Amino acid sequence: MNTISKILATAAFFSLSPVETKALSGHEENPTDSLEKVDSKFSFHRFGEKIGTIKFQPFSVNPEDTTIVSVQFAFVPFVGTNGTQSGNMINNVSFNLLGGYSAGTCAFEMAGLFNINRGDMTGVQLAGLFNQVGGKVDGVQLAGLFNSNLQSVKGVQLAGLTNFTTGEVEGVQLAGLANFTPKSVKGVQIAGLTNFSGKNTEGSQIAGLANFTPHEVKGSQVGTFNYGGKVNGFQLGVFNYADSMSGVPVGLISFVRSGYHTVEFGVNEVLPINIALRTGKREFYNILFAGTRPEISEDVTWSFGYGVGTSPRLGKKTFLNVEVSSEQLNKGRVQSLNLINKLYIGGDYQVAKKLALFAGPTINFRVFDDSFDGHPELFTYTKTQVRNERAHPENITSQWWWGFRAGFRFF
């Protein structure tokens, strides 16, 4: 085992509280002694007779057994100015060459590798690898790898990999990979991968991959995937989920369980059969759609696309629809650029609780590769006319025309 491994093994061992023992008077060690575990207590027996107990109390501090020290210096745990009493000393200022172990910190602590406090840490704590605190944190923690705390955090945590706490967080957590607490967060969590708050978040969660708050979010979630219970704010991501939301989810796909969801069947001037899915809220929703022509042919004309829209209420049963979308029109396989971009402004009338009719005009702007001669014919059952056509560099041509959309929606 190399030197660093020995140091880390020593730190892991002393992260447990010094043991509280009852005297083993009148007996000497014997090879026949046995060790019996009872809950968190270990009992020693010799020839069937109980001779003493050892009780482990990880990260517990008895104030009667602690002493406050102004300044301490240490090489590794128990090798320093506090000696073998390091675990019972609360240091105002602590300097640890490699690692330190104490009952707590009142102002400042720094170490080349690690700091381990059985109790509270107030002030500033710096470590090359990690900080471990068994009590509360009130101040700033900075570690190259991780900060781990067994109670609440009030202040700032910065770590190269993770910040972990079992209590509430009030302040800022910034980590290269993840921030985690099973309790609530009041402040900001920023992580390269994921943020997790087990209860509520009041503030912001910003992550490269995912944000998770199962209960209430008062603020914002920004990430690739956002999950919130009752969201009082907004979500910005590729995929968003919320049970309910007072604000607006903005993303590629957003699902609000109590929000706006419809399945649409419709017709337009290019394709007579179209199906679309809307999801989000009426204030802002996403649209996934596809269409086809009922042709008996090996190369069927079909399309697929994506759009966004908003649907403000006009009356008791009527709504306005404003939508922009883009669809790729193909004949057989997707072989060349052939995009039809639409702006739709129409009306939505709710004829029943789960059924609505819609209709309205569209303005269409097509962009396609004119060097490819396999594009499908645009209009086969309507007499729609292309209004303008213009050639562009790189074999690109554009067209525009007026069109329509109509159909029904199931809610």
Side-chain angles (χ1 to χ4, degrees):
M1 183 181 292
N2 58 35
T3 303
I4 296 299
S5 298
K6 291 179 180 178
I7 292 170
L8 293 178
T10 302
F13 176 79
F14 286 115
S15 66
L16 294 174
S17 171
V19 297
E20 175 189 327
T21 64
K22 294 182 180 179
L24 309 181
S25 57
H27 299 277
E28 296 179 356
E29 292 185 359
N30 190 294
T32 61
D33 290 357
S34 63
L35 185 65
E36 174 189 335
K37 181 178 179 182
V38 181
D39 296 328
S40 60
K41 295 181 179 179
F42 294 88
S43 300
F44 282 94
H45 295 256
R46 195 179 84 173
F47 303 111
E49 179 185 358
K50 185 175 179 180
I51 61 175
T53 62
I54 296 177
K55 182 179 180 182
F56 286 93
Q57 296 177 311
F59 299 110
S60 63
V61 177
N62 185 348
E64 296 179 358
D65 297 333
T66 61
T67 303
I68 297 178
V69 176
S70 297
V71 181
Q72 82 93 30
F73 298 89
F75 180 69
V76 291
F78 299 98
V79 181
T81 57
N82 287 341
T84 59
Q85 297 300 312
S86 296
N88 293 327
M89 299 297 181
I90 297 175
N91 303 307
N92 285 328
V93 178
S94 178
F95 298 98
N96 307 304
L97 184 61
L98 294 182
Y101 177 68
S102 70
T105 299
C106 292
F108 178 81
E109 182 175 37
M110 68 177 295
L113 296 181
F114 61 87
N115 296 303
I116 299 174
N117 289 186
R118 291 196 301 143
D120 299 340
M121 195 293 293
T122 301
V124 178
Q125 192 176 51
L126 311 174
L129 294 183
F130 69 88
N131 294 305
Q132 169 68 61
V133 175
K136 299 177 181 179
V137 170
D138 189 352
V140 177
Q141 283 186 309
L142 174 62
L145 294 183
F146 66 87
N147 295 302
S148 176
N149 306 299
L150 300 186
Q151 292 188 34
S152 63
V153 172
K154 185 177 182 181
V156 179
Q157 286 186 308
L158 298 96
L161 295 181
T162 63
N163 291 306
F164 173 90
T165 179
T166 62
E168 295 183 347
V169 174
E170 185 176 346
V172 177
Q173 286 185 313
L174 175 62
L177 292 182
N179 295 303
F180 177 93
T181 176
K183 300 293 182 66
S184 297
V185 172
K186 186 176 182 180
V188 179
Q189 286 184 314
I190 303 174
L193 286 183
T194 183
N195 294 306
F196 181 94
S197 171
K199 290 189 176 180
N200 303 320
T201 295
E202 184 175 346
S204 297
Q205 288 182 313
I206 303 171
L209 183 61
N211 296 301
F212 184 90
T213 298
H215 296 288
E216 187 173 6
V217 177
K218 291 183 178 180
S220 61
Q221 290 181 312
V222 180
T224 302
F225 172 76
N226 298 304
Y227 183 100
K230 180 182 179 182
V231 178
N232 234 336
F234 77 94
Q235 292 175 317
L236 175 63
V238 180
F239 304 99
N240 300 305
Y241 173 88
D243 290 333
S244 63
M245 179 172 289
S246 64
V248 176
V250 179
L252 183 66
I253 301 294
S254 297
F255 184 88
V256 180
R257 192 159 60 91
S258 61
Y260 177 56
H261 318 289
T262 68
V263 176
E264 171 186 302
F265 294 93
V267 60
N268 60 45
E269 75 282 356
V270 177
L271 299 174
I273 301 174
N274 294 274
I275 184 171
L277 172 66
R278 283 166 173 74
T279 178
K281 295 189 68 179
R282 281 195 176 272
E283 291 86 348
F284 184 87
Y285 53 83
N286 311 112
I287 313 166
L288 298 172
F289 59 89
T292 188
R293 288 176 183 161
E295 301 169 334
I296 302 176
S297 171
E298 183 178 347
D299 296 326
V300 174
T301 300
W302 65 286
S303 73
F304 65 92
Y306 174 82
V308 296
T310 183
S311 181
R313 181 183 292 273
L314 297 179
K316 185 176 180 180
K317 294 185 176 182
T318 58
F319 298 86
L320 177 68
N321 295 141
V322 180
E323 300 173 354
V324 292
S325 62
S326 183
E327 64 182 312
Q328 170 73 20
L329 184 65
N330 314 285
K331 188 172 184 179
R333 295 181 296 110
V334 179
Q335 302 180 65
S336 182
L337 177 69
N338 191 22
L339 283 178
I340 300 176
N341 306 289
K342 294 178 180 286
L343 170 63
Y344 167 74
I345 301 177
D348 179 320
Y349 181 75
Q350 192 169 345
V351 296
K353 185 177 181 180
K354 299 292 184 179
L355 178 64
L357 302 178
F358 72 92
T362 62
I363 182 170
N364 302 266
F365 184 76
R366 180 189 180 205
V367 179
F368 63 99
D369 182 356
D370 59 19
S371 67
F372 179 71
D373 57 6
H375 294 304
E377 185 179 351
L378 281 179
F379 315 114
T380 58
Y381 65 97
T382 63
K383 297 181 179 180
T384 304
Q385 298 294 320
V386 172
R387 298 292 180 177
N388 194 355
E389 183 172 314
R390 179 176 297 180
H392 303 277
E394 305 295 332
N395 298 319
I396 298 298
T397 297
S398 63
Q399 301 171 331
W400 77 270
W401 66 89
W402 293 103
F404 72 95
R405 283 179 49 207
F408 56 91
R409 295 170 181 155
F410 294 101
F411 292 80

